[in-house]
Amino acid sequence: MSGAALGIEIVVVFFLALFLLHRYADFRKQQRMVLFGTLLAWYLCFLIVFILPLDISTVSTIALIHHQNPILSIPFFKKHLTWMKMVTSNLVCYKPWSYIPDGIMPVFWRVVYWTSQCLTWLLLPFMQSYARSGGFSITGKIKTALIENAIYYGTYLLIFGSLLIYVAVHPQWHLSWYELQTIGITAANTWGLFLLVLLLGYGLVEIPRSYWNASRQGHLLIKTYFKAAKLMTEKADAEENLEDVMEEVRKVQESIKYNHPLRKYIDTILRKCPVEYQEKMGRNMDDYEDFDDKQNTYPSEKNLVKLHKQVIYAVQRHNRTHVQWQILLQQAMHLEDVAKNETSSAHQFVHSFPSTEPTSWLSPYLYTPTVEWYWECLLRQWFYRLLAVLLSLFSVGVVWSECTFFSTRPVLSLFAVFIQLAERDYNYLYIEMACFITIFFLCTCVYSTVFRIRVFNYYYLASHHQTDAYSLQFSGMLFCRLTPPLCLNFLGLIHMDSAISHQLKEQTAYTSIMGSMRVLSFIANGFYIYYPMLILLLCIATYFSLGTRCLNLLGFQQFVGDNEMTSDLIDEGKELIRREKRKRQRTEDGENRRREWKERYGNTREDTARNRNRNEAAEMTETNYSDTVPIPNTSPNRQVKYSRTGRGTERDSIELLEDAEPLDFNAETLSDDPLETDSTRHVPGRYLSMSSSRSRIFDDV
């Protein structure tokens, strides 16, 4: 079983990263390079989080063997630790099933860490500019990406060159390559820790509060109304922006004809437009004119590149807002159904409209209306409240440990106490589970904040395959920069980092790759210890929603309960949901009427079709009736042509009446047989809108 746990976790983490990427990205439309870069960044970061508990368990095993057998600290015996461990296992301890052989973890961490750093500082910024570029060729996109990243890369080179010159000028500083490497790692981790504390302070409060608010159905419904009003404004803005961009495309494609050298770029832009706009532009296009026939002003290639970029952004934003509106509408209707079913005495959950989401074949048997009622109306709120309380206790423990992890005598960090108790009992499974749960909670607080934050329309992770390439790669950059300092912070919480705890303990392979922070003592003894204490202040600010209130004062509408603007948006959202429900109800009623019409008159229509086929077959055997036939008692020169148009016209009239599908027609006033007529005049039907009260005519206005 040696190394089996490592292999299993590598495979499991890959599928986890692939699942999350599939939820946010569109595999069919996104560029393969964007998908590969984002998947690799997410995979490496998740891998660090999942493999670190195995590294800690392995170090605990080695430390225990060295403690019970000091002779194993000699380099010769340490080199042959695998054999000696088996000898001592009968005396003191046993080798855990997840033990990783010596020499594997240092190589593994070195590959994972440096690959993630190359991605976040070099490749992903370049790929971001490449994906956002509106160029029509690979060369053009690469050129645009290099120009946009010139300042980005130039700043790094300037800082690095200044440090090298500073070191060269001071001869008393003799820095080796290892020390320079440690300085670079420390600088990257310092930047990551600065952002980590901000995100962690928000997540530690917001995640428990979000689950507590989710148990309050009334609060959740009101907030959904608020979101609906804001999303409708954004949706209208996206539609207006798309219309403006499509108008620009129309003007350009009308000016540049088929034989113009830039026409191939226009065709590329048109393929990115929605189908309805492509058809509209195709109908109005006249390609029979030469571009030389008229002296027109044509846009340059640079302007077409800019227009191409605008089209990609406008179409993606329009599609995203449309999908989000449908999802939010479904959520609001479901919450309203829950509020209605809470007072039901039948304990059967009834939906106002059928769900549009696909369900598995087991749902009708397992998730019955009775089970759904007990879960949605009774059990769910209590489950969320219990989960919110547990997460709140965990958050309090993290905040306490962040403020006291520098104290080693006595040990005040709660997580360090738990790990040390497990080491004394030789419970390696408990060590791995405690480390995994703790670091998983920290990562959830940080990563969920990354998925929630939104920087206008430049960075926004939208689920249901609606995230653009720029946001996907930006999230990969953030993950690669936040994960290493997060793991170092966790090792400090459990006193496994000697640079912070100042204890002579066996170091993990991950810490050895990070290097000794004693090269920069003011960071190891100052910034890394005292800066995480700011989490307490950030948690207090998040609890009182200070950031939300500040954004609301600046004009960004936020959900604040005691605000007049919030109340107006809630009322507006409620009216929008009510309007959409009426529209969906009318659509459903129309489909039901058409279905009833087909069921009632479907057999008659089939009989008429069979009679028509029979008559046509009989006509094939008859003679040609176009010959002239003399009429008796008339002059021999007076002749007429035989015709059957009257009978055919009557049959065609009946078939047209049968094929008609009136929307608001009351079919009950007709007889069951549509062939029954009175002097070839059909009795007109009575419309529902005419029979109802006139006071309801303007209800939908």
Side-chain angles (χ1 to χ4, degrees):
M1 295 296 294
S2 179
L6 179 62
I8 293 173
E9 292 196 3
I10 288 175
V11 176
V12 171
V13 170
F14 174 78
F15 284 103
L16 174 62
L18 188 64
F19 170 77
L20 288 178
L21 183 62
H22 177 265
R23 177 177 174 81
Y24 288 92
D26 191 346
F27 286 178
R28 295 175 297 178
K29 297 181 180 180
Q30 295 283 5
Q31 300 179 13
R32 296 294 179 265
M33 183 183 65
V34 173
L35 296 175
F36 176 75
T38 307
L39 177 62
L40 183 60
W42 290 11
Y43 174 60
L44 293 177
C45 295
F46 296 162
L47 203 59
I48 295 175
V49 173
F50 277 78
I51 302 300
L52 188 61
L54 298 182
D55 192 5
I56 296 174
S57 176
T58 302
V59 170
S60 300
T61 305
I62 298 174
L64 180 59
I65 295 174
H66 288 175
H67 177 73
Q68 299 293 339
N69 303 273
I71 191 175
L72 296 180
S73 300
I74 302 175
F76 172 78
F77 294 102
K78 190 175 181 179
K79 182 178 180 181
H80 300 83
L81 178 61
T82 304
W83 178 80
M84 296 299 297
K85 173 174 67 329
M86 296 177 62
V87 173
T88 58
S89 61
N90 295 328
L91 300 177
V92 178
C93 62
Y94 62 91
K95 181 178 69 173
W97 73 278
S98 60
Y99 179 81
I100 300 176
D102 299 338
I104 294 181
M105 292 307 300
V107 176
F108 175 82
W109 288 128
R110 190 174 291 110
V111 172
V112 170
Y113 177 78
W114 288 112
T115 303
S116 64
Q117 294 306 301
C118 289
L119 280 173
T120 185
W121 298 105
L122 297 177
L123 295 180
L124 287 179
F126 176 82
M127 293 166 64
Q128 268 187 312
S129 301
Y130 181 89
R132 288 184 60 191
S133 173
F136 299 98
S137 62
I138 297 177
T139 305
K141 292 183 178 181
I142 292 176
K143 181 180 178 181
T144 303
L146 290 176
I147 293 174
E148 290 184 358
N149 287 272
I151 300 177
Y152 186 79
Y153 294 124
T155 304
Y156 290 156
L157 292 176
L158 180 62
I159 295 175
F160 184 72
S162 301
L163 291 176
L164 288 181
I165 294 174
Y166 182 78
V167 172
V169 170
H170 293 75
Q172 68 273 15
W173 285 23
H174 300 284
L175 297 179
S176 61
W177 169 251
Y178 174 78
E179 293 174 340
L180 289 176
Q181 174 181 318
T182 303
I183 291 175
I185 294 175
T186 304
N189 290 336
T190 302
W191 187 95
L193 184 63
F194 177 80
L195 184 60
L196 173 68
V197 171
L198 299 178
L199 300 179
L200 186 60
Y202 176 83
L204 288 174
V205 176
E206 192 61 29
I207 289 181
R209 182 161 59 184
S210 63
Y211 280 103
W212 181 265
N213 291 333
S215 65
R216 303 161 56 193
Q217 298 292 344
H219 177 273
L220 199 59
L221 182 58
I222 292 176
K223 192 171 184 179
T224 304
Y225 289 149
F226 177 82
K227 292 180 179 179
K230 289 187 61 178
L231 186 58
M232 177 54 72
T233 303
E234 183 182 357
K235 183 173 177 287
D237 185 46
E239 292 175 352
E240 183 180 355
N241 183 33
L242 181 63
E243 291 284 348
D244 296 339
V245 174
M246 291 298 104
E247 181 65 21
E248 293 293 330
V249 174
R250 185 190 63 81
K251 294 179 181 179
V252 171
Q253 73 97 19
E254 288 180 355
S255 63
I256 298 179
K257 301 302 179 181
Y258 72 100
N259 55 351
H260 196 281
L262 298 178
R263 183 63 198 184
K264 57 182 180 179
Y265 300 146
I266 299 298
D267 294 337
T268 303
I269 294 176
L270 289 176
R271 285 193 294 269
K272 303 294 179 61
C273 299
V275 178
E276 57 270 18
Y277 288 98
Q278 293 183 22
E279 296 176 352
K280 187 185 301 183
M281 295 177 188
R283 289 193 299 265
N284 298 331
M285 183 177 176
D286 185 10
D287 275 347
Y288 294 100
E289 300 179 5
D290 274 343
F291 71 92
D292 291 328
D293 292 342
K294 297 180 180 180
Q295 298 297 328
N296 296 329
T297 57
Y298 301 104
S300 62
E301 183 178 351
K302 184 177 180 181
N303 292 333
L304 291 180
V305 169
K306 183 179 179 181
L307 181 61
H308 187 204
K309 185 176 180 180
Q310 292 176 352
V311 168
I312 295 174
Y313 172 74
V315 172
Q316 198 278 333
R317 184 186 176 195
H318 175 265
N319 295 336
R320 173 172 56 81
T321 53
H322 178 73
V323 172
Q324 287 180 330
W325 172 253
Q326 297 299 327
I327 296 172
L328 188 63
L329 181 63
Q330 192 71 22
Q331 293 176 355
M333 292 181 180
H334 176 72
L335 291 174
E336 290 180 348
D337 291 342
V338 172
K340 293 178 181 178
N341 284 274
E342 283 181 346
T343 58
S344 174
S345 59
H347 295 177
Q348 297 281 332
F349 197 90
V350 180
H351 293 273
S352 300
F353 301 96
S355 178
T356 57
E357 298 180 357
T359 58
S360 62
W361 62 275
L362 288 176
S363 297
Y365 303 100
L366 299 179
Y367 200 59
T368 60
T370 303
V371 175
E372 186 176 5
W373 187 89
Y374 277 101
W375 168 250
E376 295 290 346
C377 302
L378 188 61
L379 299 178
R380 185 172 186 171
Q381 54 184 351
W382 290 105
F383 174 76
Y384 279 175
R385 289 174 183 175
L386 179 60
L387 184 60
V389 172
L390 294 178
L391 292 177
S392 300
L393 295 177
F394 220 107
S395 297
V396 172
V398 171
V399 174
W400 171 263
S401 300
E402 290 284 358
C403 296
T404 60
F405 73 93
F406 60 89
S407 176
T408 57
R409 293 182 181 178
V411 178
L412 299 178
S413 176
L414 298 179
F415 302 106
V417 172
F418 296 153
I419 298 300
Q420 291 178 5
L421 290 176
E423 289 180 350
R424 294 172 186 173
D425 296 335
Y426 317 132
N427 194 339
Y428 303 108
L429 181 61
Y430 175 81
I431 294 175
E432 294 173 7
M433 295 304 299
C435 292
F436 175 75
I437 293 175
T438 304
I439 196 172
F440 182 78
F441 177 74
L442 295 176
C443 289
T444 302
C445 294
V446 175
Y447 292 165
S448 64
T449 308
V450 174
F451 281 100
R452 290 185 181 187
I453 60 176
R454 177 175 180 177
V455 183
F456 300 103
N457 287 317
Y458 294 101
Y459 172 73
Y460 181 41
L461 290 174
S463 58
H464 296 82
H465 323 291
Q466 299 302 316
T467 306
D468 59 349
Y470 182 87
S471 299
L472 286 174
Q473 293 175 330
F474 190 77
S475 65
M477 292 171 54
L478 286 179
F479 285 171
C480 291
R481 298 180 187 184
L482 291 172
T483 304
L486 175 63
C487 294
L488 283 178
N489 180 258
F490 169 71
L491 292 175
L493 292 180
I494 61 176
H495 293 175
M496 296 291 289
D497 189 357
S498 61
I500 298 176
S501 61
H502 303 288
Q503 293 179 341
L504 298 178
K505 297 180 64 175
E506 189 74 23
Q507 296 296 302
T508 61
Y510 183 81
T511 309
S512 63
I513 298 301
M514 293 292 102
S516 177
M517 298 301 172
R518 294 185 179 89
V519 177
L520 300 175
S521 58
F522 67 95
I523 293 180
N525 299 328
F527 184 79
Y528 277 18
I529 292 178
Y530 299 105
Y531 180 71
M533 295 181 183
L534 291 178
I535 289 180
L536 178 61
L537 299 179
L538 292 172
C539 289
I540 295 175
T542 305
Y543 179 80
F544 291 103
S545 303
L546 297 182
T548 302
R549 297 180 185 275
C550 291
L551 290 176
N552 194 46
L553 291 176
L554 294 176
F556 301 97
Q557 289 88 1
Q558 302 294 318
F559 185 76
V560 181
D562 54 351
N563 186 268
E564 183 178 358
M565 179 64 69
T566 302
S567 301
D568 294 340
L569 289 176
I570 291 173
D571 295 337
E572 181 182 352
K574 186 183 299 184
E575 184 61 31
L576 288 172
I577 299 299
R578 187 181 297 115
R579 185 187 307 170
E580 291 292 335
K581 289 181 67 176
R582 289 198 300 265
K583 185 187 300 183
R584 183 172 293 188
Q585 185 66 46
R586 288 195 299 269
T587 303
E588 187 175 346
D589 292 343
E591 292 178 355
N592 292 334
R593 284 192 293 269
R594 283 192 292 270
R595 190 182 303 110
E596 293 176 359
W597 180 271
K598 291 180 181 179
E599 291 177 355
R600 179 173 299 180
Y601 301 109
N603 297 330
T604 306
R605 185 179 306 175
E606 293 176 359
D607 296 339
T608 305
R610 285 195 295 268
N611 293 333
R612 182 177 58 186
N613 294 334
R614 189 181 301 111
N615 293 334
E616 291 177 354
E619 290 174 1
M620 296 297 294
T621 61
E622 295 179 358
T623 58
N624 188 0
Y625 293 102
S626 61
D627 298 337
T628 58
V629 179
I631 300 179
N633 300 328
T634 59
S635 63
N637 295 330
R638 188 175 181 182
Q639 296 174 341
V640 295
K641 292 185 178 181
Y642 184 81
S643 174
R644 293 182 294 111
T645 57
R647 189 156 48 110
T649 302
E650 183 179 357
R651 185 173 68 249
D652 294 341
S653 300
I654 295 175
E655 291 173 1
L656 287 174
L657 288 174
E658 291 173 355
D659 292 337
E661 294 182 359
L663 294 179
D664 292 328
F665 195 75
N666 188 4
E668 296 178 356
T669 59
L670 292 177
S671 60
D672 293 337
D673 190 359
L675 297 177
E676 296 180 2
T677 58
D678 184 12
S679 301
T680 68
R681 291 186 59 187
H682 297 277
V683 180
R686 182 168 58 89
Y687 286 86
L688 294 176
S689 59
M690 301 297 294
S691 61
S692 60
S693 175
R694 292 182 177 272
S695 62
R696 299 179 59 83
I697 293 178
F698 298 97
D699 284 354
D700 295 337
V701 178

